[in-house]
Structure formats: structure tokens, C-alpha cells
Amino acid sequence: MRGRFLSVILSAVSLPLVAAAVSSQAYTWKNVKIGGGGGFVPNIVFNPTQKGLAYARTDIGGAYRLNADDTWTPLLDFADVNHWNYWGVDALATDPVNTTRVYLATGMYTNSWDPNNGQILISTNYGATWTASPLPFKVGGNMPGRGVGERLAIDPNSNNILFFGARSGNGLWKSTDFGATWSKVSSFTNTGTYVPDPTDTSGYNSDKLGITWVTFDSTSGTSGKATPRIFVGVGNLGSTNVMVSNDAGSTWNAVAGQNSTYIPHKGVLSPATKTLYISYSNGAGPYDGSLGAVMKYNITSGVWTDITPVSGGNLYFGFGGLAIDAQHPNTIMVAALNSWWPDGQIFRSIDGGVTWSPLWSWGVYPAINKFYSYVDTLAPWLGPDNTVTTLGTLQIGWMMEGLSIDPFDSNHWLYGTGATILGGRDLLKWDTTHNVTLESLADGIEETAVTALVSPPVGPPLLSGVGDIEGFVHNSLTVAPATNFLNPSWSTTSDIDYAGNKPTNFVRIGSGTGSQQIALSFDSGTTWSIDYGAPITLSGGKVALSANADTVLWRTGSSGVQVSQYTNAFTVVSSLPSDAQIASDKVNNSVFYGASGSKFYVSVDGGHTFTSPSGLGSSKSPQKIVVNPSVTGDVWVSTDVGIFHSVNSGTTFTQLPGITQAWAIALGAPAKAGGYPAIFAAAVLGTTTGYFRSDDAGVNWVQINDAAHGFAAPGSNPVSGDPRIYGRVYIGTNGRGIFYGDAAGAAPPPSTTAKPTTTSAIPSTTLLSTTSSSAIVKTTTTTSRGTPTTTSPAPTGTGVQGAYGQCGGQGWTGPTVCVSGYKCTYSNPYYSQCIPA
Ligand SMILES: *[C@@H]1O[C@H](CO)[C@@H](O)[C@H](O)[C@H]1NC(C)=O
Ligand SMILES: *[C@@H]1O[C@H](CO)[C@@H](O)[C@H](O)[C@H]1NC(C)=O
Ligand SMILES: *[C@@H]1O[C@H](CO)[C@@H](O)[C@H](O)[C@H]1NC(C)=O
Ligand SMILES: *[C@@H]1O[C@H](CO)[C@@H](O)[C@H](O)[C@H]1NC(C)=O
Ligand SMILES: *[C@@H]1O[C@H](CO)[C@@H](O)[C@H](O)[C@H]1NC(C)=O
């Protein structure tokens, strides 16, 4: 059980260590507000019988419950290193009989990327606490086809009965004890053969989509008895893919007269009209879909009707999200999957699909009539005018597999996109004025995958690198930023660093292609300029900026380590391995560090050459190098075997006792002015895997995360200590955005912008039962001294510069005078150019 925090008595000598209790410190954890979600929301599920009860599921960031004020409360923040795959939610079911109950099918990948089987998570209190029922196969919350469903369903007449449609050909499963135990429905043999790409050797696109949805026909039964009629959608393209049972799941048949051309994504039943509506697409989704259909099936007559809203050249997408207005059962809506241009599309019908109206239509080309106004105050970076260049022209969205109308409020609708939840509260205006208000309604959902965090000593409290949506300058922790990184923008930021002596200077790198993927800022991230010294072939990896901000060391994604000074062309650093972790000294502009395998490396010539003066014990994979911002050569390295510390630029290292594995490590403000920086680490300390802080240079540690805050897999979580506020730490997650934590007792200064915080009825969520891991205690090692090398200074130059040549910039030693007719013009601190006078 979490809560009994075990650790070791830390010793300065190399002796076997004795396990003893270590203290923990209460921390307050909150999200750094990005707002608007920031990732794919596969579905939003309303409870059909309790007003206002709804949940959203995500593919990598767990599930959320909707609050009355339109905010969302996260439900799976307890997931820790041992339960990281809980954040992949492949299906969700809210109980129509006993509405306190909610179930999640969780697991991240069905291929080797996730070694763990999946589980059904069961809550009897709206998601406040959970118990896990393990499944004997994997569940793929972040696999292709994660937007179909729901493939987990509760019998509306006998809520002890659940069915779950598995992936990978594992078939249909049934529970009769509220999800506690599961058994395979052996009579269900049409388990789905469709795979998106059979040639994908990773297993990601070559696994079977499996069963796509399970839908009970409540009208076929009576309360208290198992519902006889159950429809099941199957991941087949071109062969029978809608099955039905009329005996509560004992025997199954193909629904007669079906058209199996496309894959059924959603099967939504209108009890009032005894009609089953199905949306189809020709791929598994969520990114694909170039053809599809919408069908309705009259359960009474057995008649199928094709009600696809568009045809011919206007049909260049499949269909995903499908909603019925429970109060107006002939009102249905369906979302295109995917209309990538000029925008996503949603259709609405008030006559059961006979006629449809769209959310936009073409005007006089290229103008479009938007039958909506757009409100993004909760996440302005989403951009009414497409300020997020990576989102292109799409405002309505894409990957729209989840579309729902509140069963108690015909005006209230929500849909998920690849980046957020949109919706509104005036939907009936679609039918009167044909003009609705489309709002960003993902407040409280923080779903970003965070790649980098820097809390600098001056300026904004935090800069972040984020997957898919660039990253942000966080001027406030509580108000969503107005924009993400722009000019340039590259979708995913791989890393960020700042210059120790000039801490308004930053470098960031992107992971795109076809353009320079490195940018510099001299104003704390407000504006950026492309570093044209970078070839367009380099991207990704890690980056370090020298103390005076003139040199960039770049461990690229695929072309080894490279270095550039004064934005000159990058040159290969052959003396540092291509997988090295890198860091800059924060005081001495010439010094960089590297670590690879068991070796530590130092450069004293601005990153051009590295030597390896020392080793990192038995490390096989260093994780992070962090350098004391005010003491040159004071270096910490986290590794797969623990934490190493050097006070002499890596000439010798001491391994901390008791810590047997570490991921992120960071330094923050000291406990007392002038004291040693607080150290934060994600580590295995004794037998506890968690997040720890030391105020005495690594001798004593307190655990700072708790049973309600696990942060999932630590290996991908960046951490940054706040250099201005003692105790404050930022933890980036892979799917739950950025958290900041403040120590209980420490009084953080008031945030600059006042905005009321919303609280939910249930403050935190926990797992009722879990397992603990064991760890091996390692001892201290000291490494031997080595001799660093030095190189000669940069060349000098004189004379007059020609047209368009460089004529200035930090470190520039060439001509500063331009030929006649040209004037030396400042471009950035590193570059002035001769341009026509
Ligand atoms: C609903 O479920 C809860 C939790 O199991 C249980 O305590 C309660 O009695 C149930 N209510 C009904 C009406 O069945
Ligand atoms: C089945 O659906 C496809 C795609 O919508 C359509 O082209 C085809 O004509 C349909 N077949 C029948 C028999 O209706
Ligand atoms: C379904 O078919 C039955 C029998 O033909 C008919 O009475 C009923 O009106 C149909 N339902 C709808 C919604 O059209
Ligand atoms: C819908 O309303 C908005 C806001 O008033 C307006 O900008 C837009 O032009 C309207 N759409 C159409 C097609 O008239
Ligand atoms: C920076 O480090 C190098 C190598 O150790 C040293 O030669 C140089 O004097 C240092 N510079 C400063 C300003 O301390």
C-alpha cells in the first residue's frame, strides 16, 4: 500500500544500508493551467438517468467527470509508475440504474509498448475511488480505433451485467457481478479481422481493432431481468459487422440486411423510436476516414435505411461521433471523420435523418458560411483565428469520434476533437436561427504530453515544451496562455534550455522536418528567431545553451551531437556519443557536460570536444544532467542505477546511497537564502518509487507526492524546480499536463492573476488496492580523476564586409563596416547584416 513510505538511512560511507522510515511532506498539487484539453478526447458519455452526470475519457490522460459549472474533475491522478496504463481509457460506461457506478476499460497499448494487461476499473462513487479487475489480455486506450464505442456497456435492466468487446481478436467478455469477474462469451465468434496496416512490424497498426461497440436494446426487456436484445459492432471492413443477440447474449446472429461496406464506429439506440443508428467509416480512426455512411435500422420492421447526409463529391470523409437527443428522438447529429479541409463538419437532422443541415457550408468560394460563433475564452491559444498554426485552418476540429447531447438538456452538447472538447448551451438555435455558439468547454482537462520544463530565475515562472501543440510561456500558472510558441512553430517541442548568466535567453528545438528546428529568444520566450545555422535535416533530441547564450549544443534526434556558436553552421561533435544526455554549465560559458552509458563527459572549449574524466558507476542509461545555477562544476546526474554528484566538473563523482534508480532531477530555490539549492528527483529511494526533495545536497530526502498523485510513468516526466520559490516544483506528465506542487507550510506568494479556483465535491481520487515494488539498495562509488583538454580561441578578422554579409553579433570578429551603399543592421544579438542603406 502507498502511504507507508520506506527509505534508507543515508550514509556518507560505502556500507550496506539499513532500511528505515523516511518522512513525507504534504504537498498541494495543481495543474498549471493550459486549458482546453490539449489532446484527443475520444468520447463524452452522459448518464441517461441522472441529470448533469457526464464523463469524458482520454487516450493518454485518464478520465474526467463533468461538474455543474462546466469544469471537469480528473479521476485517475493516483496512477503511478505501477499503474501508468490506467491513463489509457479505451471505453467508459456510466450505470443507468445505480448512477453512482462508473466503469473504465484501461490499458495503453496492445503491442509491446505496454507489457501489462488491461483492467476494468470499477467505481461505486462517481469515480472518487476505484478497484481494478484485471483482464487476461491487453487493452489499447492509445491504439488505432480508440474513438469507436463504447465497447463497454451496462445492461440497463440488470446492472450487474456488463459486456466488454475486446481488441486483438480476444472477443466478447461478460461480467454478471458488477465487473468484478469476467468470462469470455464463447458463442460470440465474429471477433473482428480489420487491421489498419498489416505490414506494421511494431504491432501498433497491425493489431486487430476487434469489437467496436456494445449496445443494449432496453425496450426488449424488463427491469430486473437481463435485457434480451443486444447489438454488437465489429471491426470488419466488407464482411458482417453488426451482430445481434435476442437471448441476452447466449446466441448471436448477423443482423439481416446489413451493409457491411464500412466499419461501424458507433451504434446508438433510440429507445423511444426503437431505432438503431450507426455511423460508419472506412478506417479504424481516429485520423483516417475518407468514405463512410450513416444508417438506421428499424428494430421492429428490420428495415435498414441509408441516411448518409452527403454523397458523391461531397462525401470525402467517414463518420464518427453520433448523438441522439433523448428528448427529441428524431433529432440526431453525426460528425465527419475526418473532414480535414476546409474544416471539420457536423450534421444535424430533426427528422430521423431524412434531411440534414451542416455546421458550415460553402459561400462564394473560398468563403464559408459558419453557422456558429466561436468562443475560446477558456483556452485562447486554441485560436478563433487559427493562431495555432499547427492546427491549420481547422476550427471545428478533427478526430471527432465523440459527440453527445445532454439527455436532460437539448441545448447542451459536447464533442471531442483531436485537441479539445467543444460544444455549447444553445444547440436548439441550430433549428431556429441555424446559428449556435461553439465554445471551448474543456476547462479542467489538462491532457498534454509534456516534453520539457524550465523555471528560469527571472521572467515568467515557467516555459514548457509540449507534444503536438508546441509549448508555452506560462506568465501565470492559473490562467490559460493566450498563445503557444509561434514564429516558428513546429507542433512538438523536443527540449528547452536557458542561459545561466543571461537567463532571459532561451533555446528551443522542434521535432518537425523541412525547416530549421531551432529557435532562440532573448526576451524570455516572448519572441523567437530561427537559428539559420541549423540545417533543415536536423530535428528532435535535447538542447543546451551556454551560460552566456552564444553557443548551442544539440544532441539531435538522428545525427549525433552538434554544436554552433553565434548561430554559425552546426558542426559535428564526434567526441560525444549520439545518445548522450547533455547540459551547459550555468556559469562558465565554455563548459558543457555529457553523459552516456557509464561515462561522464566534459567540454571546456564550448562544446567542440569532450573528454571523459570519470564514470558513473554501473550506469547504463543516464537520464538527466542538472547543474547548480550559481556554482560552476557542481553537477548532478540521474541514472538507471541512482544519482551521482560532482563538485569538480565531473572530475570525480559520488553516488548517493539508498537511491537505486532515478529519472528526472532538478534544482530549485534553497530552504534558506544562500543555502544549497533544493534538489527534486523522481527516484526509487529504498523501496519507494516516487518524487522526493532534499534540502541538504542529497543527504536526507522527503517524499513529496502522495497516494492521490502518482504522475504515472516517471521515465517521460520532465521536472523543474522553481529557483524563486522554495519547495515549488513542476512535474510534466505524459497525458495529464503540468502539475505544480507547493510544500505545506511554505507560503507561496499570491499568483499575479486572480481567478476563482473551482473545487469539486470529491477532492481527490485514489485506488483502493494496489501493489508495491521492491528495489535493490546500492552503495557509494567514487570515480577517478581525468584531465580535460583545451582548444585555441576563435579566429579574428578585419576589413570591409560585402553586400548582405555578416557585420556584427556577439563574438563576431570579422569586419563591422559595410561596403558603400550598405549599412550594418542589427538582426539579433548574434547577427548583424550589411543591407542596402
Ligand atoms: C448503488 O451502489 C452502491 C455502491 O455499491 C450501493 O451502496 C447502493 O446500495 C446501490 N444502490 C442501489 C439503489 O442499488
Ligand atoms: C452499401 O453501401 C455502399 C456504401 O455506402 C454503397 O455503395 C452500396 O451501394 C450499398 N449496397 C447496397 C446493397 O445497398
Ligand atoms: C419501424 O417499422 C414499424 C413497422 O413497419 C413502423 O410501425 C414504425 O413506424 C417504424 N419506426 C419508425 C421510427 O419509422
Ligand atoms: C452566425 O453568427 C455569428 C455571430 O453573430 C456571425 O458572425 C456569423 O456570420 C453567423 N453565421 C451566418 C452564416 O450568418
Ligand atoms: C571556464 O572553464 C575553463 C575550463 O575549466 C577555464 O579555463 C576558464 O578559466 C573558466 N572561465 C571562467 C570565466 O572561469
Side-chain angles (χ1 to χ4, degrees), residues 31-41 44 56 58 64-67 69-74 374-382 412-424 438-448 480 736 755 758:
N31 272 117
V32 173
K33 190 158 199 105
I34 293 174
F40 179 41
V41 180
I44 299 128
T58 76
Y64 294 78
R65 190 184 59 244
L66 182 63
N67 301 308
D69 63 355
D70 281 344
T71 64
W72 298 87
T73 296
Y374 187 78
V375 179
D376 66 354
T377 45
L378 293 175
W381 59 269
L382 282 168
H412 183 206
W413 65 303
L414 296 168
Y415 68 93
T417 78
T420 191
I421 291 174
L422 297 174
L438 210 54
E439 292 179 75
S440 161
L441 289 172
D443 196 15
I445 294 184
E446 294 287 343
E447 202 197 335
T448 47
R736 263 291 285 132
K755 184 166 191 282
T758 53

Side-chain angles (χ1 to χ4, degrees), residues 369-373 435:
N369 307 312
K370 298 179 174 182
F371 301 115
Y372 63 92
S373 56
N435 202 321

Side-chain angles (χ1 to χ4, degrees), residues 346-664:
I346 296 174
F347 301 93
R348 179 173 167 97
S349 170
I350 55 172
D351 55 15
V354 179
T355 60
W356 296 88
S357 63
L359 190 49
W360 61 267
S361 68
W362 285 109
V364 178
Y365 185 86
I368 62 175
N369 307 312
K370 298 179 174 182
F371 301 115
Y372 63 92
S373 56
Y374 187 78
V375 179
D376 66 354
T377 45
L378 293 175
W381 59 269
L382 282 168
D385 302 313
N386 314 309
T387 55
V388 183
T389 58
T390 53
L391 304 189
T393 59
L394 302 178
Q395 190 173 59
I396 293 168
W398 64 100
M399 294 163 73
M400 300 187 301
E401 293 261 37
L403 169 62
S404 302
I405 301 171
D406 187 334
F408 291 87
D409 182 354
S410 299
N411 269 314
H412 183 206
W413 65 303
L414 296 168
Y415 68 93
T417 78
T420 191
I421 291 174
L422 297 174
R425 288 190 169 272
D426 62 1
L427 182 57
L428 288 173
K429 283 190 179 167
W430 190 312
D431 311 325
T432 52
T433 64
H434 197 189
N435 202 321
V436 297
T437 309
L438 210 54
E439 292 179 75
S440 161
L441 289 172
D443 196 15
I445 294 184
E446 294 287 343
E447 202 197 335
T448 47
V450 183
T451 53
L453 292 175
V454 174
S455 179
V458 298
L462 188 69
L463 277 76
S464 65
V466 169
D468 295 340
I469 55 166
E470 283 287 344
F472 300 88
V473 176
H474 301 273
N475 291 305
S476 162
L477 304 181
T478 54
V479 177
T483 83
N484 51 8
F485 290 142
L486 297 174
N487 303 321
S489 61
W490 304 306
S491 181
T492 292
T493 296
S494 296
D495 200 16
I496 303 176
D497 195 22
Y498 78 101
N501 295 335
K502 296 186 171 183
T504 57
N505 289 40
F506 284 82
V507 63
R508 65 179 163 99
I509 52 172
S511 60
T513 52
S515 64
Q516 286 85 3
Q517 296 290 305
I518 187 157
L520 300 164
S521 174
F522 320 113
D523 55 11
S524 298
T526 306
T527 61
W528 297 86
S529 52
I530 292 172
D531 182 346
Y532 288 102
I536 64 169
T537 51
L538 298 185
S539 74
K542 297 286 176 188
V543 72
L545 187 58
S546 69
N548 295 345
D550 60 31
T551 303
V552 173
L553 184 70
W554 188 2
R555 191 208 79 201
T556 66
S558 58
S559 301
V561 182
Q562 311 230 356
V563 69
S564 159
Q565 191 177 27
Y566 308 130
T567 70
N568 286 311
F570 276 80
T571 57
V572 172
V573 180
S574 55
S575 47
L576 202 54
S578 60
D579 68 347
Q581 300 296 338
I582 57 170
S584 55
D585 194 82
K586 293 299 172 199
V587 176
N588 187 319
N589 191 54
S590 307
V591 177
F592 284 93
Y593 306 101
S596 170
S598 64
K599 285 188 171 170
F600 186 80
Y601 297 82
V602 180
S603 170
V604 294
D605 62 356
H608 287 92
T609 57
F610 282 79
T611 58
S612 179
S614 60
L616 299 166
S618 58
S619 164
K620 289 191 182 64
S621 112
Q623 302 290 304
K624 178 80 180 172
I625 303 168
V626 66
V627 186
N628 189 329
S630 50
V631 180
T632 190
D634 185 0
V635 179
W636 296 83
V637 187
S638 58
T639 76
D640 58 324
V641 297
I643 293 175
F644 294 80
H645 183 207
S646 173
V647 293
N648 52 17
S649 299
T651 304
T652 58
F653 272 98
T654 303
Q655 183 174 3
L656 297 191
I659 297 176
T660 52
Q661 184 169 6
W663 297 275

Side-chain angles (χ1 to χ4, degrees), residues 246-261:
N246 287 302
D247 54 12
S250 295
T251 60
W252 296 87
N253 291 295
V255 176
Q258 67 183 277
N259 185 325
S260 60
T261 304

Side-chain angles (χ1 to χ4, degrees), residues 20 39 61 80 88 113 228 239 242 262 264 294 303 311 342 401 414 431 444 496 547 559 637 654 674 745 789 795 821:
D80 63 6
W113 301 344
S239 61
V242 182
Y262 305 123
V294 184
V303 171
S311 61
E401 293 261 37
L414 296 168
D431 311 325
I496 303 176
S559 301
V637 187
T654 303
T789 59

Side-chain angles (χ1 to χ4, degrees), residues 30 181 392 713 772 805:
K30 292 177 184 164
T181 60
S772 63

